[in-house]
């Protein structure tokens, strides 16, 4: 492909026209802002964290300038004064110490028990100036590395006149780095983010430059050193001030506002409630260079940072580069450049207070400087409160300050002696559903030895049991809640472990939902888990550890680094996957039901303790309810603090009974049933045949890189071995058609999508109930997701390829079937044995109703819906399904629509994973090949002929400008430029292709060029490069040069089967600048076609990012002009 091809691909995007942010799927997410994998990742919120896309044992005596006696002095001059925050502190490396012969082995015993082994490849140390570093060699992917510089200061460290300055300084320090700019065009990615407890800068780079093969670690560290020595230039300050103010508008969604309300209540007793990273607008507008530089020089010191490097590097060489680059920086020199004396003195006072009893000084230097109202087992509270020392300084911001938000004072209500609830209600007109967020805060328990590791595994078993009860057993014919999750996670950003219940429900059923969810928690806390649950989830933990160990050094740099940072922050021992597997097997082999039930009791103690006469946790239970604003305070949907506290307390007085074990099948398809199927429908393989010139494939041979065949019943199969994820596999069942077929075949509008969701909500097969099938999937670690979009019905499975559902451990283990066999059994039953249930349809319809109503209260959702309606002439296949349409769908409608697509001749199965291809093909032949060829033929529509998927609607001409006003309490604005584009493979709505357009414009194309452009991935590569180039141009023009926005983004829908597609440019800005930002985006796209076309450098830089091995040449031929539909959407400020 030549440069001209990229230009022509851009032309094709705009000259023919329509849009969508994604392929629309309006099924609500099954996760919310507090969801994370149990016990493995921090509970965090990307909405609160300000992330900017730019793209012998050691004892540290002081974090603020004091070094060891043997270390060289960095003062250098008597004129360099001590840093204002010079204080002793906890070693930020926690359990990671510099390499030495005395590093403990895996079997060293401690006073409490066997110590956990430390990852043997980790190298850590401290420079004489106090800078700490950690290096982890990792070779996935090979030839790359990541360097993350963590500054132990975030928004929680800000003084009253500095609210938001940590985030602004992050912008100025990294965006203003000229050495960072040297990484551009090398295939590197840079980024930075600010949170309560830290600011992090990172660079992900190739180990060597693409040209010249020069090592890139020195270049990456130069950029991070530049951050430590930021110049704070006036022009950069103004650019980043504008970007931050735009970002402030962008993030202020209703979800962000809910998150702020939750965190303000959860942390009312400490600084986090008043120190959100985004800061205060009035302060951001007022700061000068000296303000920013004062913050920077106070906190960006070598003894207040930790450098992580993970990747395909030699640790010894990396240590030399670290010393060379960072060794020259000193805390004293930083202190000498602080420009505002009064802030310098106040920083010293805050440093005194930080050392007087915060979790930062008492538990981990990675934590924010806060205290917590703990909710812990009786007798432990006094011990924890003893950590704190009385001080005069108001470090926890309990007094009132001029810039505080004007909110009602939060009170804690004692509902019974020793039983406290802290309630808060947030009401807003943009909220659609009721949600409850129930919290208890506990200290993080460092996992450093076998006993603490066993306790952590016991908690994970108990949490898994409760979550499955809530998800499986808690769903009835008419469930009280629409989403529920219970978890406890260690959170370094908050400096505590947060036990949380997050639940959503229809507003008029909030009391019922609270009672149901709290009853399930109390059952676990009082009666514990059943023997069957213990066996099930302990086995799942073992399988998970085995798969991680098998992954070995193929775990990505990013995943390794995230785990390393969180582990070090919380004081846990960082183990290798193999060490973790060994210790998991050792711990689980002797873990008892009593230990798990003790963990369950502790996890639920803040809820079980609310029952009269019971001994529960000491400390407050925190309850935040969010509900739609309603003028009627007498209706069932109305909730205030008093009624919320009363409902929670009364729910905890209800008597509960223990759950009983459910009989879970070890196999869904018995040998007898399978034998009958083999006799009735003998399976066979047929070769693959193609109409696009691809050679036919044999029925009896494996081919590379994948094998394509057809079963005798008509189902097409593609299979490939891929060991990238050890012991894991992925399978996708596709029925082309989707909502396109829904309309083409005359089914009731919405029936295909609602039916697909009903399948997800159901799951009864053959003799097995939904609950049994779901627990079968849990036992065999199967993840299933069913979706219907504009062009297909897809069912995705993720599964283990090893034996799962095992019983016992070690020599006494009884192996179950493999995950591969289990998933193929589920696929068979979905096609040939699925039971349709009214209650599943009801849950599906409720999901779609809630999604549509929420969309109409979302600025981004409603505006993109309006664009799609205009561009498709209100074609309902591309729009959300409204409430009336959802209500009209019957079970028969949903069943007929979906099952009409599940005829074997219409199905494709693609499977890839870490398995033996021949073995998997044998199982596919046995389970899928025995499905009758006429299965589901009774649902086939008589008129069904020809392709079910056509083209996107023609774009109305001429283009239009649309405006939308949406009621909101806060002003926000978003603008769009949208138009037609090719689909993922380069096909346009009129049937022509990107290849056709390029060849028509390039009259001098050689035979080689023509052959190359015929490659199936040619257009896909070209469109990816165009997207990257367009995004870079938008950033440099709209953000950098014109300072109108924080972010402008170019995206493509990427339809796979529909001919044609849409592009969308999204730009957020203040309401006053929305039209200017919109015009700037339009000008940028137009310039790409005319005055400032794509250059060879643009193209090479984009190619390095995607690592495409495609060749281009420069051509000046540009014949098509942009003709885009423009849409501007705004909030109205009341």
């Amino acid at each position: 492909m030549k440069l001209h091809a990229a230009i022509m691909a851009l032309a094709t995007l705009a000259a023919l026209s329509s849009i969508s942010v994604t392929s629309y799927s309006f099924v609500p997410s099954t996760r919310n802002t507090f969801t994370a994998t149990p016990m493995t990742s921090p509970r965090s919120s990307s909405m609160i964290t300000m992330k900017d896309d730019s793209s012998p044992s050691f004892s540290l005596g002081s974090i603020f300038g004091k070094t060891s006696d043997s270390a060289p002095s960095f003062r250098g001059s008597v004129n360099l004064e001590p840093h204002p925050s010079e204080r002793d502190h906890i070693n930020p490396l926690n359990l990671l110490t510099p390499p030495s012969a005395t590093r403990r082995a895996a079997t060293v015993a401690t006073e409490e028990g066997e110590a956990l082994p430390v990852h043997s490849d980790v190298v850590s140390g401290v420079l004489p100036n106090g800078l700490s570093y950690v290096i982890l060699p990792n070779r996935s992917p090979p030839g790359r590395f990541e360097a993350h510089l963590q500054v132990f200061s975030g928004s929680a460290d800000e003084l009253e006149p500095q609210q938001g300055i940590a985030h602004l300084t992050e912008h100025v320090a990294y965006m203003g780095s000229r050495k960072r700019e040297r990484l551009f065009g090398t295939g590197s990615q840079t980024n930075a983010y600010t949170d309560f407890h830290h600011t992090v800068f990172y660079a992900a780079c190739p180990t060597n430059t693409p040209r010249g093969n020069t090592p890139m670690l020195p270049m990456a560290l130069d950029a991070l050193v530049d951050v430590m020595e930021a110049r704070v230039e006036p022009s950069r300050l103004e650019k980043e001030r504008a970007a931050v103010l735009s970002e402030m508008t962008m993030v202020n969604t209703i979800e962000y506002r809910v998150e702020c309300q939750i965190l303000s209540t959860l942390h009312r007793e400490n600084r986090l409630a008043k120190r959100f990273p985004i800061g205060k607008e009035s302060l951001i507008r007022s700061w000068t260079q000296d303000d920013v530089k004062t913050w920077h020089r106070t906190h960006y010191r070598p003894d207040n940072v930790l450098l992580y490097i993970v990747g395909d590097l030699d640790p010894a060489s990396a240590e030399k580069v670290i010393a060379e680059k960072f060794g020259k920086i000193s805390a004293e020199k930083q202190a000498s450049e602080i420009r505002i004396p009064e802030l310098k003195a106040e920083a010293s006072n805050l440093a005194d207070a930080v050392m007087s009893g915060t979790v930062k000084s008492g538990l981990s230097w990675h934590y924010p400087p806060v205290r917590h109202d703990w909710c812990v087992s009786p007798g432990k509270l006094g011990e924890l409160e003893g950590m704190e020392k009385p001080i005069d300084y108001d470090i926890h911001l309990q007094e009132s300050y001029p810039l505080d938000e004007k909110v009602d004072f939060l009170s804690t209500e004692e509902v019974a002696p020793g039983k406290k609830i802290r309630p808060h209600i947030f009401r807003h007109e943009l909220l659609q559903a009721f949600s409850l967020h129930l919290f208890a805060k506990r200290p993080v328990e460092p996992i450093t030895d076998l006993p603490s590791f066993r306790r952590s595994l016991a908690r994970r078993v108990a949490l898994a049991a409760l979550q499955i009860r809530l998800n499986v057993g808690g769903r009835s014919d008419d469930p009280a809640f629409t989403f529920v999750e219970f978890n406890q996670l260690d959170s370094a950003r908050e400096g505590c472990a947060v036990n949380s219940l997050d639940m959503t429900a229809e507003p008029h059923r909030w009391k019922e939902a609270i009672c149901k969810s709290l009853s399930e928690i109390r059952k676990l806390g009082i009666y514990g888990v059943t023997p069957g649950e213990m066996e099930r989830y302990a086995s799942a933990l073992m399988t998970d550890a085995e798969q991680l160990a098998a992954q070995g050094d193929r775990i990505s740099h990013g995943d390794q680094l995230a785990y390393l940072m969180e582990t070090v922050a919380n004081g846990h021992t960082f183990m290798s996957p193999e060490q973790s597997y060994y210790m998991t097997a050792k711990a689980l082999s002797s873990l008892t039901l009593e230990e798990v039930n003790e963990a369950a009791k502790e996890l639920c103690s803040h809820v079980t303790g609310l029952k009269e006469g019971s001994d529960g946790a000491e400390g407050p239970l925190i309850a935040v309810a969010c509900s739609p604003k309603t003028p009627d305070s007498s209706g069932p949907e109305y909730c205030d603090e008093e009624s919320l506290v009363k409902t929670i307390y009364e729910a905890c007085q209800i008597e509960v009974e223990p759950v009983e074990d459910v009989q879970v099948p070890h196999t869904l398809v018995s040998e007898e049933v399978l034998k009958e199927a083999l006799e009735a429908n003998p399976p066979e393989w047929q070769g693959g045949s193609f109409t696009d010139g691809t050679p036919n494939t044999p029925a009896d041979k494996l081919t590379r890189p994948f094998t394509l065949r057809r079963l005798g019943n008509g189902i097409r199969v593609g299979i490939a071995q891929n060991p990238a994820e050890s012991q894991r596999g992925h399978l996708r069942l596709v029925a082309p058609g989707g909502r396109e077929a829904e309309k083409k075949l005359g089914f009731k509008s919405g029936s295909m999508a609602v039916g697909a969701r009903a399948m997800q909500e159901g799951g009864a097969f053959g003799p097995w109930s939904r609950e049994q099938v779901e627990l079968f999937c849990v036992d065999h670690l199967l993840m299933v997701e069913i979706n219907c979009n504009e062009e297909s019905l897809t069912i995705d499975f993720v599964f283990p390829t090893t034996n799962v559902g095992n019983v016992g451990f070690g020599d006494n283990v009884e192996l179950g079937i493999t995950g591969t066999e289990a998933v193929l059994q589920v696929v068979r039953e979905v096609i040939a044995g699925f039971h349709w249930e009214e209650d599943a349809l009801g849950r599906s319809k409720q999901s779609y109703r809630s999604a549509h109503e929420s969309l109409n209260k979302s600025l981004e959702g409603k505006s993109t819906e309006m664009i799609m309606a205009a561009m498709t002439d209100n074609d309902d296949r591309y729009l959300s399904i409204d409430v009336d349409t959802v209500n009209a769908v019957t079970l028969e409608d949903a069943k007929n629509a979906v099952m009409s697509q599940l005829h074997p001749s219409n199905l494709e199965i693609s499977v890839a994973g870490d398995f033996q291809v021949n073995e998997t093909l044998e199982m596919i032949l046995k389970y899928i090949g025995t499905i009758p060829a006429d299965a589901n033929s009774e649902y086939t529509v008589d008129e069904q002929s020809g392709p079910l998927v056509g083209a996107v609607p023609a774009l109305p001409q001429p283009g239009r400008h649309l405006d939308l006003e949406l009621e909101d309490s806060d002003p926000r604005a978003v603008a769009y430029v949208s138009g037609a584009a090719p689909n993922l493979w380069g096909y346009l709505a009129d049937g022509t292709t990107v290849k056709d357009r390029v060849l028509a414009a390039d009259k001098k194309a050689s035979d080689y060029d023509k052959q190359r452009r015929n490659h199936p991935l040619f257009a896909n590569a070209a469109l990816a490069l165009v997207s990257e180039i367009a995004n870079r141009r938008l950033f440099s023009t709209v953000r950098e040069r014109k300072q109108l926005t924080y972010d402008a983004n170019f995206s493509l829908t990427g339809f796979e089967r529909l001919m044609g597609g849409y592009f969308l440019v999204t730009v957020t800005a203040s309401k006053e600048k929305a039209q200017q930002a919109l015009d700037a985006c339009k000008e940028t796209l137009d310039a790409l076609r005319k005055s400032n076309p794509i250059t060879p450098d643009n193209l090479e830089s984009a190619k390095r990012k995607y690592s495409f091995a495609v060749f281009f040449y420069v051509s000046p031929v540009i014949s098509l002009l942009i003709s885009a539909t423009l849409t501007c959407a705004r909030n109205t400020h009341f």
Side-chain angles (χ1 to χ4, degrees), residues 158-451:
E158 294 167 345
L159 301 172
E160 184 67 14
Q162 293 179 322
Q163 295 179 65
I165 204 165
H167 179 218
L168 179 61
T169 304
E170 167 227 309
H171 273 251
V172 172
Y174 216 19
M175 294 300 294
S177 169
R178 293 187 177 90
K179 292 179 180 177
R180 170 178 165 270
E181 294 175 358
R182 296 176 189 171
L183 301 178
F184 296 171
T186 63
S188 300
Q189 294 177 314
T190 60
N191 209 332
Y193 55 93
T194 300
D195 210 328
F196 291 124
H197 62 313
H198 67 196
T199 302
V200 178
F201 303 85
Y202 71 82
C205 310
T207 52
N208 295 298
T209 56
R211 297 175 181 175
N213 207 33
T214 303
M216 284 205 64
L217 180 62
M219 295 172 62
L221 296 191
D222 277 340
L224 297 179
V225 169
D226 225 20
V227 164
M228 297 288 292
E229 299 176 328
R231 287 173 291 277
V232 192
E233 296 169 343
S235 60
R236 177 52 59 184
L237 175 58
E238 293 311 313
K239 285 182 180 180
E240 298 313 315
R241 193 199 311 275
V244 168
L245 291 171
S246 176
E247 184 180 3
M248 179 176 282
T249 300
M250 182 190 75
V251 302
N252 194 33
T253 63
I254 187 61
E255 293 81 10
Y256 174 83
R257 284 175 254 178
V258 166
E259 185 78 2
C260 289
Q261 292 288 325
I262 290 170
L263 289 170
S264 293
T265 308
L266 175 60
H267 298 298
R268 186 206 71 187
E269 74 277 13
N270 64 50
R271 298 177 68 83
L272 301 189
K274 296 182 179 181
R275 289 294 185 268
F276 289 99
I278 198 64
K280 302 292 186 183
E281 181 177 353
S282 60
L283 294 176
I284 295 170
R285 291 186 182 279
S286 68
W287 289 323
T288 65
Q289 287 176 267
D290 283 350
D291 291 301
V292 174
K293 198 164 187 177
T294 292
W295 169 267
H296 183 276
R297 297 306 193 258
T298 303
H299 297 276
Y300 285 59
R301 309 178 316 277
D303 43 9
N304 193 41
V305 300
L306 176 56
L307 175 68
Y308 293 89
I309 299 177
V310 174
D312 191 7
L313 294 168
D314 172 54
S317 299
E319 283 191 288
K320 292 179 182 177
V321 179
I322 292 170
E324 176 189 344
K325 299 295 182 182
F326 285 94
K328 61 184 178 180
I329 307 170
S330 74
E332 289 82 356
K333 184 174 186 302
Q334 301 290 76
S336 69
E337 297 178 4
I338 294 176
R339 304 298 188 194
I340 306 178
E342 57 269 27
L343 289 181
K344 185 174 183 179
E346 189 65 15
S348 183
N349 293 335
L350 176 60
D352 280 335
V354 167
M355 305 312 297
S356 299
T358 65
V359 294
K360 186 178 182 79
S361 63
L363 299 177
S364 172
W365 196 252
H366 296 249
Y367 292 170
V370 298
R371 62 170 289 273
H372 290 293
D373 285 346
W374 304 111
C375 186
V376 293
S377 301
K380 290 186 177 180
L381 193 59
E383 176 185 335
L384 291 167
E385 289 177 342
M387 281 179 19
E388 296 185 18
K389 305 171 186 176
I391 55 173
D392 295 331
Y393 190 88
D394 184 25
I395 186 173
H396 303 303
L397 304 180
Q398 296 302 285
E399 298 174 9
S400 295
Y401 294 91
L403 290 173
D404 287 354
E405 299 291 338
K406 300 300 185 288
V407 295
D408 294 334
F409 184 77
L410 299 171
S411 61
T412 300
E413 184 171 338
E414 189 168 28
V415 294
K419 305 178 191 300
K420 301 175 182 178
I421 298 176
R422 180 192 299 167
H424 178 60
I425 308 295
F426 175 58
R427 302 183 188 88
H428 201 280
E429 57 270 12
L430 293 185
L431 289 173
Q432 181 60 36
F434 171 89
S435 66
L436 175 72
H437 310 275
L438 204 64
F439 301 107
K441 296 198 285 187
R442 287 152 186 172
V444 173
E445 179 188 12
I447 301 170
T448 59
D449 53 25
L450 190 58

Side-chain angles (χ1 to χ4, degrees), residues 22-50:
T22 63
S23 293
Y24 269 61
S25 174
F26 292 94
V27 178
S29 169
T30 57
R31 298 173 71 81
N32 75 347
T33 50
F34 292 111
T35 305
T37 304
M39 310 305 295
T40 60
S41 58
R43 173 186 155 275
S44 64
S45 168
S46 59
M47 292 184 291
I48 297 299
T49 302
M50 293 296 107

Side-chain angles (χ1 to χ4, degrees), residues 23-24 733-756 786-795 848 875-878 881 893-894 896-902 906-907 944 947-950 1055 1057-1058:
S23 293
Y24 269 61
L733 174 65
V734 179
R739 297 201 67 194
E740 174 84 356
E742 177 185 277
K743 187 169 185 177
K744 198 166 189 177
L745 300 178
F747 290 114
K748 187 177 289 184
S749 179
S751 57
M752 194 79 72
V754 173
I786 304 174
N787 285 301
C788 175
N789 58 27
E790 296 92 336
E791 55 184 356
S792 64
L793 174 70
T794 61
I795 308 179
Y848 274 99
D875 190 324
D876 59 13
R877 293 171 296 175
Y878 301 90
I881 308 173
D893 294 329
N896 289 338
V898 172
M899 299 308 291
S900 74
Q901 303 302 291
L902 297 184
N906 190 44
L907 299 177
Q944 188 168 331
L948 291 177
V949 181
F1055 292 135
R1057 291 173 170 80
L1058 281 165

Side-chain angles (χ1 to χ4, degrees), residues 801-816:
T801 56
T802 52
N803 295 90
V804 283
N806 306 332
V807 178
F809 297 96
D811 296 335
N812 299 319
V813 68
E814 179 184 335
L815 296 178

Side-chain angles (χ1 to χ4, degrees), residues 635-955:
E637 69 278 2
Y638 185 77
C639 175
D640 59 15
E641 282 82 356
E642 182 180 356
S643 59
L644 177 64
V645 170
K646 181 179 179 182
T647 300
I648 292 172
Y649 184 69
E650 290 179 350
C652 292
Q653 311 311 311
I654 300 172
E655 296 296 331
V656 294
E657 299 294 330
V659 301
E660 297 182 1
D661 263 330
V662 176
Q663 180 186 357
V664 182
H666 292 288
T667 178
L668 294 178
V669 182
S670 67
E671 288 295 330
E672 294 77 13
V673 169
L674 195 56
K675 182 179 179 181
E676 292 175 5
L678 288 166
E679 292 174 353
N681 302 288
E684 64 170 346
W685 284 115
Q686 299 176 355
S689 58
F690 306 89
T691 60
D692 64 352
T694 301
N696 292 344
T697 55
D700 58 350
K701 293 181 180 178
L702 302 182
T703 55
R704 302 292 182 188
F706 41 77
T707 297
L708 301 175
R709 294 182 186 176
R710 184 188 295 267
L711 289 163
N713 56 17
I715 297 176
R716 297 175 294 281
V717 176
I719 185 170
Q721 185 181 44
N722 184 357
E725 289 188 68
S726 296
Q727 301 184 5
R728 301 294 289 175
H730 299 255
L731 183 147
R732 170 170 285 187
L733 174 65
V734 179
R739 297 201 67 194
E740 174 84 356
E742 177 185 277
K743 187 169 185 177
K744 198 166 189 177
L745 300 178
F747 290 114
K748 187 177 289 184
S749 179
S751 57
M752 194 79 72
V754 173
R757 179 69 188 194
M759 289 190 86
Q760 178 84 60
E761 291 289 339
F765 305 147
W768 311 114
S769 68
R770 173 187 60 81
E771 188 172 10
Q772 288 175 307
V773 171
E774 290 190 349
L775 289 176
F776 172 86
C777 291
V778 170
D779 279 359
H780 295 83
L781 304 181
L782 308 183
M783 291 185 284
V784 187
E785 185 172 2
I786 304 174
N787 285 301
C788 175
N789 58 27
E790 296 92 336
E791 55 184 356
S792 64
L793 174 70
T794 61
I795 308 179
D796 289 302
F797 301 86
V798 180
F799 57 94
T801 56
T802 52
N803 295 90
V804 283
N806 306 332
V807 178
F809 297 96
D811 296 335
N812 299 319
V813 68
E814 179 184 335
L815 296 178
I817 63 175
T818 65
T820 311
E821 189 167 5
V823 80
L824 290 172
Q825 291 183 355
V826 175
V827 172
R828 174 187 174 85
E829 293 303 307
V830 167
I831 298 171
F834 190 83
H835 296 330
W836 289 81
E837 302 166 310
E838 282 285 356
D839 64 315
L841 179 70
R843 292 191 292 272
S844 170
K845 293 168 77 169
Q846 179 54 42
S847 294
Y848 274 99
R849 284 192 293 262
S850 297
H852 181 74
E853 290 167 352
S854 296
L855 179 140
N856 283 320
K857 292 189 175 183
S858 163
L859 177 62
E860 290 81 3
K862 191 167 184 176
S863 57
T864 51
E865 177 91 338
M866 187 173 73
I867 296 170
M868 184 60 78
M871 301 183 75
T872 63
D873 196 21
N874 289 300
D875 190 324
D876 59 13
R877 293 171 296 175
Y878 301 90
L879 306 178
S880 66
I881 308 173
D882 61 59
V883 173
D884 290 340
T885 300
V886 170
N887 290 338
V889 175
T890 66
L891 185 64
E892 200 66 18
D893 294 329
K895 178 180 178 181
N896 289 338
V898 172
M899 299 308 291
S900 74
Q901 303 302 291
L902 297 184
H903 190 278
S905 63
N906 190 44
L907 299 177
E908 306 169 6
I909 291 177
S910 301
V911 57
D914 185 18
F915 48 59
Q916 293 298 318
V917 172
N918 274 325
E919 292 178 4
T920 304
L921 284 172
E922 288 176 9
M923 284 189 276
I924 292 173
L925 186 67
K926 181 171 64 172
Y927 285 108
I928 310 303
T930 54
I931 296 173
D934 62 352
N936 303 320
S937 58
E938 65 270 28
Y939 301 101
T940 303
V941 177
D942 293 338
E943 311 83 63
Q944 188 168 331
S945 62
L948 291 177
V949 181
V952 298
L955 188 70

